[in-house]
Structure formats: structure tokens, C-alpha cells
Amino acid sequence: MSIHGEAAAVRPLTLAWVSRHLEVGERIVRTEALHGGITAEMQRLTIGTRDGETRDLVLRTFVNVEHAEDSLSRETGALTLLTGTGVPAPGLIAADLTAAHCEYPSLLMTHLTGRTVLDDEGLETRLPLLARQLVAIHALRPAERPRKYVTLTTADTVVTPKGTDGEGWAAAIDVIRKPAPPYEGRFLHRDFHPGNVLFDVPPPTRAGARITGVVDWASASWGPADLDVAHCSVNLALLHGPEWGLRFPEAYEEASGVLAATASERLYWLVRDGLAASEEVQLVSQPWREAGRTELTTRAVEERLDAYVIALMDTLS
């Protein structure tokens, strides 16, 4: 077996495990590291078939990740649920939740065409596509619900960036000290944002962009649609500017999505996920810089987060 590319780094036990899940006569002919992930190593495996053609798979490996078994269990459950729903998610091939066969917990799945698009250019066109895709996810009614959503911050763990509007942040933190508003449960991706959505973006002379895939379902859960909208909104605000974060809830409603009835309820969810970003600005901005958005330094992203949180408070409180 000849393995080329960066993933000559596919570990021996994992390589043997993958090979056991290939068709008779197939072999791995090339591997490539996929960049942009935060919690796991991602590798594209090109498989040579018996008829001389190739197909691609994706190997997701959780290396030294706390609660890897839980995350993989959620993801495999979500991918199983999504089969046949029309939501463009990877197809599950195999999972080793406890590293019984691999060096680390691992997931093998089909490869989706397309790429992530993090540039400002064309965002006006992509925003409604993101909104419509999220509405479609929330429309799913699984026979077995995934577990309840997990909040990503508390009033006591918020990290207030330096030089921010201290009074405004204090008011925002007070918002999430209150009990969560009542909500109608929906199937949530829980990490829906441009970095987890694949696009086909053709040349200007052809038809417009389209979504070809939604990936990273490790946080799939059950909860308020507002929470998924809030998570995408803060990511849009940090990637493209606060005004885009504010526009996404409107785009979601224009796509026939239903959000909380009152401004105070909407504010709770938007602020909760906005403040959660304060704890991981450095973590989320690094993959963006590696993808070419070199201007998104930790400080620049902190400034956008500050502006976004204050804008939420000014607009909805």
C-alpha cells in the first residue's frame, strides 16, 4: 500500500481499521490533511476502486480530546438520523467511539464536494442560503430526540475583552443570569456557522452559489431554534462585522424560520451565545487566519465581539 501526501500520518492501527471498511479490491492511494477543524484531525482519503476509478472518504480523529466518546456518539447518531432527510450531511461508514481498534476515537464518513467560504465577497448572496439551510435542519422531527442542548458559558465565566464597554457588558451578563425563556424544541446542529458549511461557488458567468454540505455534527442536540441562530450570528459578526451578525436573525425569519416571540427572549439567546464567544476568541480565530483571513487577529476579533454585544444590547434591550 502506497500512501502519499501529508497523511502518511494516518496511524497504523487506524489505517488497518479503515482498510477493513473498504470494498474488496479497494485501497487507499492518497491522503490529505484538511484544515480548519478545532477539535479533531481531519483527513481526506482517496480510495482506488477495482475499476480504476477513485472515491474520497473523510477520517475524523479525536486526539487527546476530552469527552471524545460523547462527541463521536452524538455525531454518529446525528449522521444516522440525517440519512435520507435531504439535509446534505456526510454518510456514516464506521465509528470507533472508544478507540477499541484505532489509536484514538475515530469516525469514517463519505466526503462531500464543495469548500468553506470565509471571504467577505459574496456574503450578501450566501447569507440567505445559510438561513434557508438552518430552517431546513430545524424542520426535522426525529423519532428519537438527541439530548438537550448544552450552554457554552455562565455569567461567572464570561471573559470581558480589554478596552470594552464595561457597563454594557455588565448589563449583558445580567441578561443571562435570568432563567432561560420557555421555547419550542427543535433539532439543532449547535455549531452551525460558515466554517461548517460547504459551498459550490461557480465562476461569475454561471448560476450562483449553492450549499453542498453541512459538517461537524458532534454537538447535535435539542433546544430552541434561537440558539442555533445566535451561534451563527456571532460567528458572522466576528468573521464579517457586527452588522452581519445582526442581519442573520432577519434572514432566518425571511426564510420562514420562527424565533422567540418577544425581544427580551431573543436577546437572551443572542447574548448567551455572544458572550460564550468571549471564552474562545483565540481558539476560533486561529483557523480563520490559517484559511487566509490574516487580518482577523485575536485583538481584531475581540473588538468585533465587543461591538456586536453592545449592538445587541442597544437594539433589543
Side-chain angles (χ1 to χ4, degrees):
M1 182 180 297
S2 176
I3 307 298
H4 304 284
E6 294 179 60
V10 176
R11 297 168 181 86
L13 292 176
T14 304
L15 199 56
W17 174 76
V18 169
S19 297
R20 290 197 294 272
H21 290 92
L22 301 181
E23 299 293 331
V24 174
E26 290 188 331
R27 62 190 183 95
I28 302 171
V29 297
R30 186 176 184 277
T31 62
E32 176 189 358
L34 299 176
H35 300 289
I38 294 176
T39 60
E41 292 180 357
M42 302 285 290
Q43 294 165 306
R44 180 165 62 189
L45 312 180
T46 300
I47 310 301
T49 64
R50 286 178 295 179
D51 58 6
E53 301 296 323
T54 61
R55 64 187 180 103
D56 289 334
L57 302 178
V58 171
L59 174 66
R60 183 168 160 89
T61 304
F62 286 72
V63 179
N64 299 325
V65 176
E66 190 177 6
H67 308 307
E69 181 180 351
D70 179 69
S71 294
L72 270 178
S73 177
R74 284 199 194 203
E75 187 153 21
T76 56
L79 295 183
T80 300
L81 165 71
L82 291 164
T83 301
T85 63
V87 173
L92 175 65
I93 295 175
D96 182 6
L97 306 186
T98 61
H101 307 285
C102 304
E103 285 84 353
Y104 298 98
S106 300
L107 176 68
L108 186 64
M109 53 193 161
T110 59
H111 175 265
L112 301 175
T113 60
R115 61 184 178 89
T116 56
V117 182
L118 305 181
D119 300 330
D120 291 336
E121 183 180 359
L123 181 58
E124 187 78 41
T125 300
R126 297 194 304 275
L127 195 77
L129 298 180
L130 289 168
R132 288 200 290 271
Q133 183 61 75
L134 193 54
V135 169
I137 291 170
H138 293 164
L140 297 177
R141 295 293 181 269
E144 183 177 343
R145 294 180 181 178
R147 70 191 69 184
K148 183 182 177 183
Y149 72 91
V150 175
T151 55
L152 302 178
T153 193
T154 69
D156 297 322
T157 59
V158 173
V159 179
T160 305
K162 295 179 181 178
T164 58
D165 180 341
E167 186 174 329
W169 274 70
I173 291 170
D174 282 342
V175 168
I176 67 170
R177 292 187 192 279
K178 302 170 185 175
Y183 62 86
E184 183 176 355
R186 291 284 185 269
F187 179 75
L188 305 182
H189 181 283
R190 198 59 188 99
D191 196 17
F192 186 88
H193 60 80
N196 281 332
V197 178
L198 305 178
F199 284 91
D200 173 31
V201 183
T205 55
R206 292 170 52 198
R210 65 185 182 91
I211 290 176
T212 59
V214 181
V215 298
D216 195 353
W217 294 85
S219 298
S221 48
W222 189 260
D226 288 77
L227 198 52
D228 259 358
V229 171
H231 191 69
C232 191
S233 293
V234 67
N235 276 273
L236 288 166
L238 302 187
L239 261 174
H240 305 293
E243 66 277 12
W244 292 101
L246 297 174
R247 286 178 62 177
F248 188 67
E250 298 174 3
Y252 181 83
E253 289 189 300
E254 289 169 0
S256 300
V258 178
L259 295 173
T262 70
S264 63
E265 291 172 335
R266 296 184 184 198
L267 178 67
Y268 176 89
W269 299 112
L270 288 166
V271 165
R272 173 167 284 288
D273 226 81
L275 295 180
S278 73
E279 300 175 40
E280 47 189 30
V281 165
Q282 186 171 354
L283 187 65
V284 300
S285 60
Q286 182 176 341
W288 296 343
R289 292 192 295 273
E290 292 173 353
R293 296 296 303 274
T294 55
E295 79 282 10
L296 293 179
T297 63
T298 298
R299 183 60 191 146
V301 174
E302 285 178 339
E303 289 173 351
R304 286 185 172 183
L305 178 60
D306 178 38
Y308 173 65
V309 169
I310 297 307
L312 286 177
M313 295 301 295
D314 289 344
T315 304
L316 293 173
S317 61

